[in-house]
Amino acid sequence: MLFCVPTLPLMFATLLLSLAQQQVPAQITSWQDLRQAFPQKWEFPEVDANGKELPSKFFEATIKRLVTLPLGASRTAPLLGDLIHTCRALQWNPDTLNLLLQRWTEQLPEEEARLVKKIVLCDGLFAEDWNPTKDKNDGIPFGPTWELPKRYWLDHDGSRSVEQAATLIVADLPTIKQAEHDFPTYFSYPGNTYIEVAPKPGSYLRAASAESQACEAAALSIDFCTDLPFPFRTYSVDVEVLHRKRDSEDMISYIYGKGEDIHWLAGYDRYWIVRDSYGTPVATLIVRQLAFDIDGVPESSSHRREGMRSTMGSLRRTSEARFDGTWKSAEAMSASVPEFQVIAPQAADPR
């Protein structure tokens, strides 16, 4: 999940696996009050100071084309949604899919063909021994690491590197958002190093439109404490989250981190609903931009990507396990930020 802070390689397992849980209730508020909780200046940028598109644009635009346009120039070229039907019928078998992909992608540019193959070859993700330190057939293609321009956006020390990746989830947005906000499940994610994942009481806000009463945006604040490998200890971060509706995608979720242990933490997830040739929704595709740098820890791109594989892969596994296969109407899906419960872990009473 975007709001699950990326972790470095696991050196020892977390001890917090036996947890009770409690619900954090939503508070209905105005858009103006919600902006006090998550100001616009925290929204990770898509253009530079001169309005020029950042390097993230190419990867995101390519992914969006795969979602919305046929995979080739011929009249019979399928949509990605059509291919997902076939993949599911074949139970995502890599041997069979590799043969079919040669035909499916032969009309595509090289980069688009690579992305389609990386997205649909995902049998490794669902293996019992899936390990996010390995990227074989996990259904998570990465785009090039890029650098946020210097002296631009919010001032901070440390690296300015940004990672980008995509993944497909065969589930709708309400199910995905519910899986994201079931925080006790984070302690069972493969490779997790969490010590604390605690949504703050009173921080779950939902802003409704005065005209339609549809939810325009939702915000949440979460305290994370995460273990680090020897010789380092732990780091803590206050993660601010904003989900909101825009015309450029089906939904976007921003993340912004605060704390003395980090130089910066920022990014977003963009969501597009994948449809077949009949207009029927079949999956949700996520593109993620994530920048993260811990103070005093020599991280690399591989560490950040491992964290992204862990969170994105775990989100897909948990979301698809929850999804009952029922898709809401297009109008219902586009009307508002979906309803979801925020579930907080609570240590079991030792008595």
Side-chain angles (χ1 to χ4, degrees):
M1 128 182 210
L2 179 62
F3 326 121
C4 176
V5 181
T7 59
L8 297 177
L10 179 63
M11 300 295 289
F12 45 87
T14 180
L15 299 178
L16 300 178
L17 293 177
S18 177
L19 297 168
Q21 61 185 37
Q22 60 182 352
Q23 184 175 340
V24 177
Q27 298 187 33
I28 306 304
T29 187
S30 67
W31 174 252
Q32 291 75 20
D33 287 343
L34 188 142
R35 271 303 189 198
Q36 295 297 313
F38 197 107
Q40 186 174 2
K41 67 180 181 180
W42 289 352
E43 293 186 359
F44 195 72
E46 298 174 60
V47 297
D48 66 15
N50 298 316
K52 182 181 178 181
E53 294 172 344
L54 291 170
S56 52
K57 179 64 176 181
F58 178 78
F59 181 70
E60 293 185 9
T62 303
I63 292 293
K64 187 175 181 180
R65 283 198 302 273
L66 296 178
V67 173
T68 57
L69 299 177
L71 302 178
S74 71
R75 293 183 177 181
T76 58
L79 294 175
L80 180 61
D82 301 321
L83 301 191
I84 293 171
H85 285 310
T86 301
C87 292
R88 296 185 68 187
L90 296 172
Q91 298 182 331
W92 306 91
N93 182 281
D95 296 328
T96 307
L97 287 181
N98 267 312
L99 294 174
L100 292 175
L101 283 168
Q102 295 178 14
R103 175 170 57 86
W104 287 344
T105 62
E106 62 185 2
Q107 298 184 46
L108 294 178
E110 181 178 352
E111 176 61 9
E112 293 186 17
R114 180 190 77 86
L115 289 173
V116 171
K117 292 176 181 178
K118 288 289 291 184
I119 286 170
V120 303
L121 293 175
C122 59
D123 61 294
L125 178 66
F126 295 97
E128 291 186 5
D129 60 350
W130 173 61
N131 186 336
T133 62
K134 302 176 182 179
D135 63 358
K136 183 177 180 181
N137 287 8
D138 59 14
I140 306 174
F142 283 84
T145 302
W146 60 278
E147 298 290 315
L148 193 71
K150 293 182 179 179
R151 296 179 296 278
Y152 174 61
W153 201 47
L154 302 180
D155 186 41
H156 62 81
D157 296 325
S159 166
R160 300 187 70 82
S161 297
V162 184
E163 304 294 340
Q164 51 187 343
T167 196
L168 182 81
I169 300 181
V170 185
D172 63 5
L173 274 171
T175 303
I176 294 169
K177 287 301 165 189
Q178 188 58 65
E180 275 185 341
H181 294 85
D182 186 352
F183 294 108
T185 65
Y186 284 32
F187 296 95
S188 62
Y189 282 5
N192 89 87
T193 56
Y194 300 115
I195 297 172
E196 180 183 30
V197 184
K200 295 181 181 179
S203 70
Y204 179 21
L205 308 177
R206 294 181 68 88
S209 166
E211 293 78 16
S212 65
Q213 298 304 306
C215 181
E216 296 179 317
L220 182 68
S221 180
I222 310 131
D223 287 330
F224 282 91
C225 183
T226 305
D227 214 346
L228 291 172
F230 182 83
F232 308 101
R233 300 182 68 181
T234 66
Y235 72 92
S236 297
V237 60
D238 176 9
V239 179
E240 305 292 341
V241 176
L242 174 69
H243 312 286
R244 75 180 185 93
K245 301 292 292 187
R246 302 192 309 181
D247 294 334
S248 50
E249 63 280 305
D250 291 292
M251 197 173 76
I252 187 167
S253 296
Y254 291 96
I255 181 173
Y256 184 78
K258 299 180 293 181
E260 296 181 355
D261 294 340
I262 63 168
H263 289 303
W264 72 321
L265 167 63
Y268 58 70
D269 279 357
R270 300 179 70 185
Y271 299 83
W272 284 281
I273 296 170
V274 182
R275 302 175 186 275
D276 63 18
S277 296
Y278 298 97
T280 304
V282 297
T284 303
L285 202 144
I286 304 174
V287 174
R288 174 169 297 181
Q289 301 288 338
L290 184 65
F292 183 55
D293 191 12
I294 305 173
D295 185 16
V297 177
E299 305 153 89
S300 67
S301 177
S302 64
H303 293 137
R304 288 186 283 268
R305 290 189 174 202
E306 180 183 324
M308 291 173 74
R309 280 196 299 273
S310 175
T311 55
M312 296 177 83
S314 295
L315 178 60
R316 178 172 183 177
R317 285 159 55 113
T318 55
S319 297
E320 293 191 5
R322 290 168 178 259
F323 186 49
D324 65 4
T326 304
W327 289 83
K328 295 183 179 179
S329 67
E331 293 76 13
M333 286 190 290
S334 63
S336 67
V337 174
E339 297 280 350
F340 57 84
Q341 293 181 335
V342 174
I343 307 299
Q346 183 179 24
D349 190 335
R351 295 175 298 177

